[in-house]
Amino acid sequence: MKNESGASGKPVTEGARRVSLVEPTAAGFVVLGISTGAWKTPFPPRRAERRQALAGLSGRAAALRGTPGVRQATVFAAVLRPPGQPKEGEGPAAAYDVVLLVVTDSPAVARDVADAIAAEAPPTAATERLILAGSNVRSMGPVSPRPGGVFLFNFFTGPTMQATLDAWQYTAGWFEQETRLDNSTVILPDAQSHSPFPIINHCRWNSLRQVLPSLLFKRSFRSFVLAAFSEAGVVPHPILYRVHS
């Protein structure tokens, strides 16, 4: 293996794989995440607030699909917090059990959409809301919004955007190799978003079976992937979702 540099500037170690990247898309992205309350287990509670949030965002998505400049508007419902959550002392995990992802013709259009959402009253009685607009800074290939698969939104925190992005790229090849991942869109929030997350990674697998066993049983997930994040000071907040509407 070539002596490549990783997230910490050190040579790539066992478990690392060079990730296959493609040219990022010029599209814009809006992420609207809603937390309807705390999770005490890996599974989101089935509560009235969650049903209301899903219904409210489904209506919003339907309206957005007819808006000029909007390519896609998809509502996701969380199904599981997979292994790799923040450790004790690293702060609370992200708890967005409902997410609306809007794909637009450009980041400028995404900013307009995000501003319009932020100017409106919250669509539900949600306890926490995240609204950001951004662009695609890295890509392993486009993420299909078709139902039937399982989708990841990984909300990363880290010391800087570049350190967080480097840590993602350093570890992404592991997912390509071990879970046959062939798509991923890394969203870079714009400055106006004031996002607590330097980057958000979004991708799709055909089923939980394609990804979950690797996270649970492959030792290199902890010894390489999570260790690399920890060394870089980067904390992943992964949540797996299904398409709701």
Side-chain angles (χ1 to χ4, degrees):
M1 177 177 289
K2 293 182 180 180
N3 188 26
E4 304 168 27
S5 292
S8 63
K10 297 181 179 180
V12 166
T13 57
E14 183 180 357
R17 301 288 188 276
R18 180 191 288 272
V19 64
S20 302
L21 296 177
V22 300
E23 190 70 21
T25 176
F29 297 85
V30 178
V31 177
L32 168 55
I34 291 179
S35 171
T36 62
W39 303 12
K40 295 182 180 180
T41 73
F43 306 97
R46 297 183 177 181
R47 46 191 164 211
E49 291 85 355
R50 176 178 161 92
R51 292 192 294 273
Q52 292 168 5
L54 286 168
L57 290 193
S58 293
R60 184 184 294 276
L64 283 168
R65 290 180 195 124
T67 302
V70 172
R71 300 179 184 179
Q72 300 169 10
T74 309
V75 178
F76 298 88
V79 295
L80 176 68
R81 273 192 182 136
Q85 298 299 317
K87 299 176 183 177
E88 186 175 353
E90 291 181 324
Y96 304 112
D97 47 328
V98 180
V99 168
L100 169 64
L101 177 67
V102 184
V103 183
T104 66
D105 286 344
S106 69
V109 175
R111 169 45 50 196
D112 290 342
V113 172
D115 286 344
I117 293 173
E120 298 174 6
T124 70
T127 58
E128 184 179 348
R129 193 169 74 161
L130 170 75
I131 305 174
L132 62 86
S135 56
N136 179 204
V137 67
R138 293 287 189 277
S139 177
M140 293 171 60
V143 182
S144 170
R146 69 184 187 280
V150 60
F151 296 80
L152 171 73
F153 284 91
N154 202 339
F155 304 88
F156 286 98
T157 56
T160 65
M161 183 282 290
Q162 193 60 55
T164 310
L165 185 59
D166 287 347
W168 173 85
Q169 186 164 325
Y170 181 58
T171 57
W174 184 92
F175 290 90
E176 184 177 34
Q177 175 75 20
E178 303 296 338
T179 72
R180 300 296 184 264
L181 182 66
D182 62 0
N183 66 92
S184 180
T185 296
V186 180
I187 300 170
L188 176 67
D190 64 16
Q192 295 102 305
S193 294
H194 303 290
S195 173
F197 309 108
I199 61 170
I200 297 173
N201 182 41
H202 175 53
C203 58
R204 181 190 191 278
W205 290 274
N206 291 329
S207 66
L208 279 172
R209 186 181 302 176
Q210 189 179 352
V211 58
L212 197 55
S214 294
L215 305 184
L216 289 170
F217 303 120
K218 290 190 176 179
R219 184 180 302 176
S220 57
F221 174 65
R222 290 169 177 80
S223 64
F224 170 64
V225 175
L226 296 186
F229 286 144
S230 179
E231 185 175 355
V234 171
V235 180
H237 301 251
I239 304 176
L240 294 173
Y241 298 80
R242 301 257 188 212
V243 169
H244 177 76
S245 61

